[in-house]
Amino acid sequence: MENTRTHKKRKHLFLTIIRNIRKRFSQRRGKKSLPRYDGRYFNILSIDGGGVLGIFPSTILMLIEQEFKVDLSKFFQLVAGTSTGSIITTGISIKYPVADMVELYESRSASIFKSDEIFRLIAKSKYSEKNLQKLIDEIFKKKTVFDTYTDILVPSINVTKGEPVVFSKDDVNTKLRDVVLASCSVPVYFPPHKIKKHLFIDGGLWMNNPSTLAISEALIRYKRRARDIRVLSFGTGNQKYDYEKALGNINKDDNWGALRWKNSLIPLLISMPTLGNHHVLESLLPSSRYIRLNYEYDKPLYLDDAKVVPNIKKIAYEYFDREYSRLKNFFTAD
């Protein structure tokens, strides 16, 4: 009984927090309303940020399309993506072939994350935005949010105002290339992306795993019940990390300054918000309606390391084979 009360309190707190986030931070540039979805299930796709590591979700989604003969833009009623995840999900929303997306990760990652200036990082961003913008323009051309077949959610940050924002179907007149670039402009790596008089940076700084944001849309704006919602959520990899070893002797209680934290604080700050969102969804939805696909990697993972793409693609194939039964049931069960 106590566990049931705790679960209800946690669910109520979660919904209250997300409702306030959507009310305060959603950008309302258009007046196109979101219809209530009347199907049996409300299917959500969510993809984390992670630069070149987007090869993992894009490869598995390609295999899903091929194996289960599914049109992802029709199957999912809502697609949410942050940073590199926004490229994949927004591409799906306009029916851009996922197989072509995989090829782009393989062939263009090295050129996007290439710095020709030895000391560029000192005065400028680590990479020029030109190659990234060229790629995004090739995918989305002049399409706007109005042209999507599937509703989208894309987190970003308006640094001009100092506020998190969420691009959605409400932003009907906004170009999709601007939406995606606003979520992909990682500080230090790329300069902020400008839309009109405002500057935007990577949404991963506040919502790298956008699954909880997507759940709030289904529950609050679409008026769907939790039992009608299904979520397929992708991570972009976790580096195996020995926190106990990094912290040193935990019995030394008087030595918790910067030197003690130097090896473990950044990994914690990066991974905990994403992991926290995962645990929230685990408590809300049963495993049959919530699938989280992610992997652990023995070596350090960097969002700009194009050399790792072939290895991660191989992992994606192996992961698909291992999760085949669950994915088949998710995509083919009535």
Side-chain angles (χ1 to χ4, degrees), residues 181-196:
L181 287 170
S183 189
C184 288
S185 297
V186 189
V188 180
Y189 290 87
F190 296 107
H193 181 65
K194 189 174 183 179
I195 303 178
K196 297 182 179 179

Side-chain angles (χ1 to χ4, degrees), residues 108-159:
R108 305 283 284 276
S109 292
S111 64
I112 290 173
F113 293 103
K114 180 181 179 181
S115 181
D116 296 325
E117 301 176 32
I118 297 177
F119 299 105
R120 179 182 176 91
L121 183 59
I122 297 175
K124 300 179 180 179
S125 56
K126 187 176 182 180
Y127 304 108
S128 168
E129 72 277 22
K130 292 181 180 179
N131 288 334
L132 176 61
Q133 289 183 353
K134 182 179 179 181
L135 173 67
I136 299 303
D137 285 337
E138 288 176 13
I139 297 173
F140 299 104
K141 298 180 171 49
K142 296 182 179 180
K143 288 183 170 63
T144 67
V145 174
F146 184 83
D147 297 312
T148 57
Y149 294 92
T150 308
D151 292 340
I152 64 171
L153 284 180
V154 178
S156 180
I157 295 176
N158 184 330
V159 290

Side-chain angles (χ1 to χ4, degrees), residues 243-255:
Y243 286 101
E244 185 173 356
K245 181 179 179 180
L247 287 171
N249 188 350
I250 60 174
N251 294 320
K252 291 184 178 181
D253 297 330
D254 59 345
N255 184 23

Side-chain angles (χ1 to χ4, degrees), residues 50 52-53 55-56 235-243 267 271 293-319 322:
V52 301
L53 305 176
I55 186 67
F56 177 74
T236 52
N238 291 322
Q239 175 189 342
K240 290 183 179 179
Y241 197 84
D242 190 339
Y243 286 101
S271 62
L293 304 182
N294 205 2
Y295 63 96
E296 285 194 332
Y297 202 63
D298 291 328
K299 299 178 181 179
L301 286 170
Y302 302 106
L303 65 86
D304 59 341
D305 183 10
K307 296 189 296 295
V308 79
V309 168
N311 288 338
I312 303 304
K313 183 180 181 182
K314 181 181 178 181
I315 290 173
Y317 270 86
E318 295 170 351
Y319 206 105
R322 188 165 66 248

Side-chain angles (χ1 to χ4, degrees), residues 3-15 18 211-212 215 219 226-227 229 231 274-292:
N3 289 337
T4 302
R5 290 199 203 95
T6 301
H7 175 75
K8 289 182 177 179
K9 289 180 180 179
R10 185 181 302 168
K11 181 177 178 180
H12 176 73
L13 177 60
F14 163 73
L15 293 178
I18 294 298
S211 55
T212 51
I215 283 281
L219 293 173
R227 66 187 184 189
I229 298 171
V231 179
T274 293
L275 188 59
N277 281 355
H278 167 55
H279 288 327
V280 168
L281 261 70
E282 275 190 319
S283 69
L284 285 174
L285 302 176
S287 59
S288 61
R289 289 188 285 108
Y290 172 58
I291 298 178
R292 171 74 172 173

Side-chain angles (χ1 to χ4, degrees), residues 27-199:
Q27 292 197 345
R28 310 293 183 186
R29 292 199 187 93
K31 296 183 178 180
K32 188 169 182 177
S33 60
L34 288 170
R36 177 173 176 174
Y37 179 70
D38 292 322
R40 177 182 177 185
Y41 288 116
F42 190 93
N43 297 315
I44 294 172
L45 172 65
S46 175
I47 304 180
D48 296 5
V52 301
L53 305 176
I55 186 67
F56 177 74
S58 60
T59 298
I60 292 181
L61 287 168
M62 175 189 70
L63 295 173
I64 287 171
E65 278 195 331
Q66 294 172 351
E67 184 68 23
F68 305 133
K69 310 301 180 186
V70 60
D71 183 339
L72 297 175
S73 67
K74 291 182 178 179
F75 183 85
F76 292 105
Q77 284 68 58
L78 182 64
V79 291
T82 301
S83 197
T84 197
S86 74
I87 302 176
I88 303 169
T89 55
T90 309
I92 288 172
S93 78
I94 60 167
K95 297 182 180 293
Y96 189 85
V98 184
D100 291 353
M101 193 73 71
V102 171
E103 194 279 328
L104 291 177
Y105 275 102
E106 293 179 299
S107 64
R108 305 283 284 276
S109 292
S111 64
I112 290 173
F113 293 103
K114 180 181 179 181
S115 181
D116 296 325
E117 301 176 32
I118 297 177
F119 299 105
R120 179 182 176 91
L121 183 59
I122 297 175
K124 300 179 180 179
S125 56
K126 187 176 182 180
Y127 304 108
S128 168
E129 72 277 22
K130 292 181 180 179
N131 288 334
L132 176 61
Q133 289 183 353
K134 182 179 179 181
L135 173 67
I136 299 303
D137 285 337
E138 288 176 13
I139 297 173
F140 299 104
K141 298 180 171 49
K142 296 182 179 180
K143 288 183 170 63
T144 67
V145 174
F146 184 83
D147 297 312
T148 57
Y149 294 92
T150 308
D151 292 340
I152 64 171
L153 284 180
V154 178
S156 180
I157 295 176
N158 184 330
V159 290
T160 306
K161 291 185 174 181
E163 290 184 351
V165 295
V166 180
F167 292 95
S168 70
K169 195 70 172 178
D170 295 331
D171 302 287
V172 291
N173 298 318
T174 305
K175 292 182 178 179
L176 290 174
R177 54 101 56 191
D178 285 328
V179 170
V180 172
L181 287 170
S183 189
C184 288
S185 297
V186 189
V188 180
Y189 290 87
F190 296 107
H193 181 65
K194 189 174 183 179
I195 303 178
K196 297 182 179 179
K197 296 182 179 180
H198 297 272
L199 296 175

